[in-house]
Amino acid sequence: MLLQRTIERIDTPAAEPGFLGAGHSARPLINADFADSDPFILLMDDVLDKKDSAPVGGPHPHAGFETVSLLLEGELGDEAHRMQAGDFQLMTAGSGIIHTETIDKQARMRLLQLWVNLPKKDRWTTPRVQDLPLAHVPTLLRDGLQIRLYSGALEELVSPIKNHTPMIIADISMDAGTDTSLAIPGAYNGFLYVLEGSVLAGESLRLLEEEQVGWLNRPATSASTQLTVQAGTAGARFVLYAGQPTGDTILSHGPFIADKPEEIQALYKRFRHGGMQHINSVAPEQKIHW
């Protein structure tokens, strides 16, 4: 019998005014030291209700980690990497890259954007971007349960996404009263984020409601473990994030993650002097469309 996971902490993060101005709220879903959230650095639930056509956003750099974007509503991106609701993108910033997120019209959008640490050996890897559209997302439909698997392996599903840091990302919807058990590697750190309804999760079936984050315990085993989930009376939709901790310490400053202060300084210098390539201009083998 598999070891049962429990929910050891429940957070209820508040939405804050976003940097895009009027109509933008940002809810920070990870409120923990990196040692506790490893390999996950930050995760924002961004909601934009834009009433004008003034452009917001624009090109900006990243390095030393990966951005993981799951678009829940609306559309986002430029012509080369246009995302629509249900689409997924994993961008490995690695040694340094520039990408563009500009919105220049009235728009309603909701985006979950995660920063995932790269293992130290892959910190400065060659940048690449992987796009997985909704139509190609591995999906399970069974007895009031729907699982869309964007990364990793879960149930009989396997995502095509290539990971430097092994992780499971799944958008799970359940009809009222439905229950299931999910197999998760014991070494993985993870949490649930409830998008709609409510879910009872873990061995003691702790209640998680809309916009709450439930962190899984971290058992002292690398064997497979089991997470029990049961939908509430109005059904449930939640996202499961679970990943292999890197065990590293990191230094975060602005759009960059590094191991030492001098690396942060070098990244800013290279960016200011035009030394970072735009993701749209990288070699074809660095652009993967699943």
Side-chain angles (χ1 to χ4, degrees):
M1 186 173 180
L2 296 181
L3 181 67
Q4 285 280 343
R5 287 290 186 102
T6 63
I7 299 295
E8 68 173 9
R9 190 179 83 248
I10 297 174
D11 295 337
T12 308
E16 303 171 355
F19 66 92
L20 295 178
H24 180 206
S25 69
R27 191 182 306 273
L29 304 183
I30 295 178
N31 296 289
D33 292 337
F34 178 67
D36 296 322
S37 66
D38 185 7
F40 307 117
I41 301 168
L42 66 79
L43 173 60
M44 302 299 293
D45 181 359
D46 285 292
V47 176
L48 180 66
D49 189 6
K50 191 170 180 293
K51 303 297 188 182
D52 59 40
S53 58
V56 294
H60 53 279
H62 290 301
F65 67 103
E66 296 182 297
T67 65
V68 185
S69 301
L70 173 55
L71 190 61
L72 300 175
E73 182 181 352
E75 60 179 43
L76 178 68
D78 55 24
E79 292 182 3
H81 297 284
R82 176 72 64 183
M83 296 180 67
Q84 296 184 338
D87 292 352
F88 180 85
Q89 182 186 89
L90 190 152
M91 187 181 74
T92 303
S95 60
I97 202 70
I98 297 170
H99 77 145
T100 301
E101 292 173 325
T102 300
I103 303 170
D104 56 3
K105 59 183 179 182
Q106 294 184 27
R108 171 78 185 179
M109 182 198 77
R110 187 177 185 187
L111 173 71
L112 295 178
Q113 188 167 91
L114 172 73
W115 288 15
V116 175
N117 192 37
L118 283 165
K120 190 171 291 190
K121 65 181 179 61
D122 297 319
R123 176 81 65 217
W124 312 120
T125 192
T126 301
R128 71 182 178 196
V129 62
Q130 300 178 72
D131 290 298
L132 178 60
L134 176 59
H136 295 165
V137 175
T139 301
L140 170 69
L141 294 169
R142 183 183 65 207
D143 300 329
L145 171 70
Q146 175 184 271
I147 299 176
R148 292 175 178 168
L149 184 68
Y150 290 96
S151 176
L154 189 66
E155 299 294 293
E156 63 259 38
L157 303 175
V158 178
S159 168
I161 290 290
K162 299 178 181 181
N163 297 116
H164 289 286
T165 300
M167 61 181 171
I168 296 168
I169 300 177
D171 183 346
I172 300 174
S173 296
M174 304 173 69
D175 291 345
T178 301
D179 62 81
T180 192
S181 293
L182 305 171
I184 300 172
Y188 280 22
N189 194 14
F191 59 93
L192 311 179
Y193 178 51
V194 181
L195 299 175
E196 299 172 11
S198 62
V199 63
L200 300 158
E203 187 173 22
S204 57
L205 294 178
R206 292 189 68 181
L207 177 65
L208 296 169
E209 298 184 299
E210 188 172 329
E211 297 176 344
Q212 287 190 317
V213 178
W215 284 88
L216 308 184
N217 69 321
R218 299 173 71 173
T221 180
S222 59
S224 184
T225 61
Q226 195 170 67
L227 174 66
T228 298
V229 288
Q230 179 180 315
T233 56
R237 183 185 177 193
F238 61 92
V239 183
L240 167 66
Y241 291 91
Q244 174 71 56
T246 62
D248 299 328
T249 58
I250 60 171
L251 181 64
S252 174
H253 194 283
F256 303 131
I257 299 294
D259 300 308
K260 298 177 289 187
E262 52 267 33
E263 292 172 341
I264 295 286
Q265 295 167 6
L267 287 167
Y268 273 108
K269 182 177 181 181
R270 185 154 62 88
F271 171 64
R272 287 195 299 266
H273 289 83
M276 289 187 185
Q277 196 173 8
H278 196 283
I279 193 64
N280 289 353
S281 63
V282 300
E285 59 267 23
Q286 293 166 250
K287 303 175 186 176
I288 303 171
H289 294 268
W290 297 109

